[in-house]
Amino acid sequence: MENLLSVPIKDDIYFIGTNDRKTELFEGMWPLPKGVAYNSYVLKGDKNILFDLVRVNTIDDYIQKIHEIIGENEKIDYIVINHMEPDHTSSIKSILDIYPDAKLVTNKKAVAMLKNFYEVTDNIIEVKEGETIELGNRKLTFYMTPMVHWPESMVAYEEATKTLFSQDIFGGFGTLDGGIFDDQIEYDSNYLEETTRYFINIVGKYATQALKALNKLEGLDIELICPDHGPIWRKNPQKIIDIYTSLAKQETIEGCVVIFGSMYGNTETMAEAVARGLSEGGIKNVKVRDITKTSYSYLLSDIWRYKGVILGSCSYDNNLFPPMNYLLTEVSHQRMKNNYWGIFGSYSWSGGALKNLKKYMEDGKYNVLDTQLEIQGAANSEELKQLIDFGKEMAAKILAKED
């Protein structure tokens, strides 16, 4: 049968993933302006093996693709479940209705989740760390990758084709629009930012565990990476490995993000002055973000990637502006490091913003600039000059060579 919906990958491995352009927020939190792909794969052979599933809202398209590969009269013998998150397993009951004899291959922690999520308890093959099993004429080796980014996460490796089925590792936001391979797309312009944001939003707080997982996979001879989201890597799999390794280490780039919270525009004017100082100080990569209009998804991504971070908040009831307060809570969860921080505050009749920003920096032992400005009302000419100098001070810190 001609492949019209599915895509042949290599040696009877087929891509049968689906695109989701309707869901607006991933996990109910993270914006999907470019949608998201749910990747799934079939290995044909003596036994037909399904790797991970798709979100149930795309099930009709998915089933058509399975039928295209194996026909309507053949069966799926095994379903490998690398990761239990519902964007990869919510269709499991629908698939088991069609293939009731399929055996589920997964690990101990996922077994409990199968019961708790879907009341599935039968036909389960439990695999352990480093275990190799034969499924028909295929041999698969499994490696546990706990907390990347769920506790049951694992990857599967087929040595014969040197293929890594990597679940969420090496994934990213964005639908696959025609091309599914790294050599069919303009990755840097169309996917790199969404991959970066995906890692930081979804995996970032578990960066240490992610680095351990990457180190564990270092010894494998990998020619093909098949993740659960984003493009398949066949030409240059080392590229996505390097990107993920850099993100896991939080290797920052030369630049600065200025994030401000302003009710009536005065704090915004202060942020503009700081940005001017950054530019005059030699920083070419400067972003100014309004916290009331920018999703935390992008703010967290900027903070993770930029060497310099400057937070400016108006005071609100003797405290931080509430959106800024929430951002700091999320930053704490992400365990940010490798940044230089700057803070400034504004107030009308009683302070609160700068005092709380200082406390946050002290409690988190962040590397914060000594200059910490607090301005009442609208900044006057002298205060604007101080803000510009403050931006220059951060620029000098960013551009200075490490000792």
Side-chain angles (χ1 to χ4, degrees), residues 258-271 288-293 296 299 310-316 319-325 327 344-347 353 357:
V258 181
I259 302 171
F260 70 88
S262 184
M263 288 184 287
Y264 298 108
N266 290 322
T267 313
E268 181 176 7
T269 299
M270 298 171 197
V288 178
R289 296 285 207 182
D290 183 342
I291 199 169
T292 66
K293 296 179 67 175
Y296 295 104
L299 299 179
I310 295 177
L311 305 176
S313 176
C314 58
S315 298
Y316 193 90
N319 209 323
L320 279 169
F321 189 45
M324 183 66 72
N325 196 47
L327 174 65
F344 68 92
S346 67
Y347 67 101
L357 284 171

Side-chain angles (χ1 to χ4, degrees), residues 15 17-21 26 32 34-40 53-55 58 87-88 168 172-177 191 198 227-231:
F15 170 82
T18 59
N19 283 316
D20 184 352
R21 296 185 176 87
F26 194 78
L32 294 173
K34 296 183 179 181
V36 66
Y38 310 123
N39 298 348
S40 181
L53 306 177
V54 299
R55 191 174 175 183
T58 63
D87 56 330
H88 308 300
D168 278 353
F173 294 137
T175 55
L176 295 173
D177 300 335
Y191 288 96
Y198 174 86
D228 279 358
H229 301 289

Side-chain angles (χ1 to χ4, degrees), residues 27 30 149 171-173 192-207 210 243-244 246-253 296-306 330-331 333-336:
E27 297 184 341
W30 316 114
H149 57 116
F173 294 137
L192 179 57
E193 183 178 357
E194 290 294 84
T195 299
T196 300
R197 190 166 62 90
Y198 174 86
F199 179 93
I200 293 161
N201 293 171
I202 308 302
V203 186
K205 61 179 66 68
Y206 307 112
I243 289 169
Y244 255 66
S246 174
L247 288 168
K249 292 179 177 178
Q250 202 198 337
E251 294 179 345
T252 52
I253 60 176
Y296 295 104
S297 175
Y298 296 93
L299 299 179
L300 292 171
S301 182
D302 289 342
I303 294 170
W304 190 278
R305 293 297 281 152
Y306 285 97
E330 288 301 301
V331 170
H333 292 162
Q334 297 293 88
R335 301 168 187 168
M336 301 289 186

Side-chain angles (χ1 to χ4, degrees), residues 54-293:
V54 299
R55 191 174 175 183
V56 72
N57 63 330
T58 63
I59 187 67
D60 292 340
D61 184 28
Y62 185 56
I63 291 170
Q64 286 186 61
K65 292 179 179 181
I66 294 175
H67 286 164
E68 184 176 270
I69 298 302
I70 68 170
E72 295 189 24
N73 297 321
E74 288 192 50
K75 64 179 182 177
I76 293 293
D77 297 285
Y78 299 97
I79 303 173
V80 174
I81 299 176
N82 285 321
H83 180 32
M84 275 294 302
E85 197 171 6
D87 56 330
H88 308 300
T89 58
S90 57
S91 57
I92 193 165
K93 286 195 170 183
S94 299
I95 296 301
L96 290 177
D97 284 343
I98 302 171
Y99 306 108
D101 297 326
K103 293 181 173 62
L104 307 181
V105 181
T106 194
N107 59 72
K108 183 177 181 179
K109 290 181 179 178
V111 170
M113 291 185 178
L114 280 167
K115 179 182 179 181
N116 295 334
F117 276 67
Y118 307 112
E119 297 182 336
V120 172
T121 57
D122 298 327
N123 288 339
I124 297 175
I125 299 173
E126 187 179 312
V127 296
K128 298 179 176 61
E129 169 66 32
E131 183 176 358
T132 300
I133 63 173
E134 292 188 25
L135 304 177
N137 63 333
R138 301 277 187 173
K139 285 185 180 180
L140 298 171
T141 303
F142 297 90
Y143 299 93
M144 304 302 125
T145 56
M147 299 316 301
V148 189
H149 57 116
W150 278 29
E152 85 306 343
S153 299
M154 69 179 187
V155 299
Y157 176 70
E158 189 194 31
E159 187 174 357
T161 57
K162 299 180 180 179
T163 300
L164 181 71
F165 297 93
S166 66
Q167 52 104 5
D168 278 353
I169 303 173
F170 308 127
F173 294 137
T175 55
L176 295 173
D177 300 335
I180 68 166
F181 299 106
D182 60 319
D183 55 353
Q184 293 179 327
I185 60 174
E186 290 291 341
Y187 178 81
D188 287 356
S189 57
N190 292 333
Y191 288 96
L192 179 57
E193 183 178 357
E194 290 294 84
T195 299
T196 300
R197 190 166 62 90
Y198 174 86
F199 179 93
I200 293 161
N201 293 171
I202 308 302
V203 186
K205 61 179 66 68
Y206 307 112
T208 300
Q209 290 92 327
L211 201 54
K212 288 179 181 177
L214 292 166
N215 291 337
K216 180 183 289 189
L217 304 177
E218 217 172 27
L220 298 179
D221 185 7
I222 300 171
E223 291 185 356
L224 183 67
I225 294 177
C226 295
D228 279 358
H229 301 289
I232 297 164
W233 294 83
R234 67 178 180 185
K235 181 179 180 182
N236 186 12
Q238 189 60 46
K239 178 171 180 172
I240 191 64
I241 293 171
D242 291 344
I243 289 169
Y244 255 66
T245 301
S246 174
L247 288 168
K249 292 179 177 178
Q250 202 198 337
E251 294 179 345
T252 52
I253 60 176
E254 188 177 279
C256 187
V257 58
V258 181
I259 302 171
F260 70 88
S262 184
M263 288 184 287
Y264 298 108
N266 290 322
T267 313
E268 181 176 7
T269 299
M270 298 171 197
E272 297 280 5
V274 172
R276 168 76 74 83
L278 285 163
S279 178
E280 291 183 0
I283 301 298
K284 295 181 179 180
N285 197 352
V286 178
K287 277 187 181 178
V288 178
R289 296 285 207 182
D290 183 342
I291 199 169
T292 66
K293 296 179 67 175

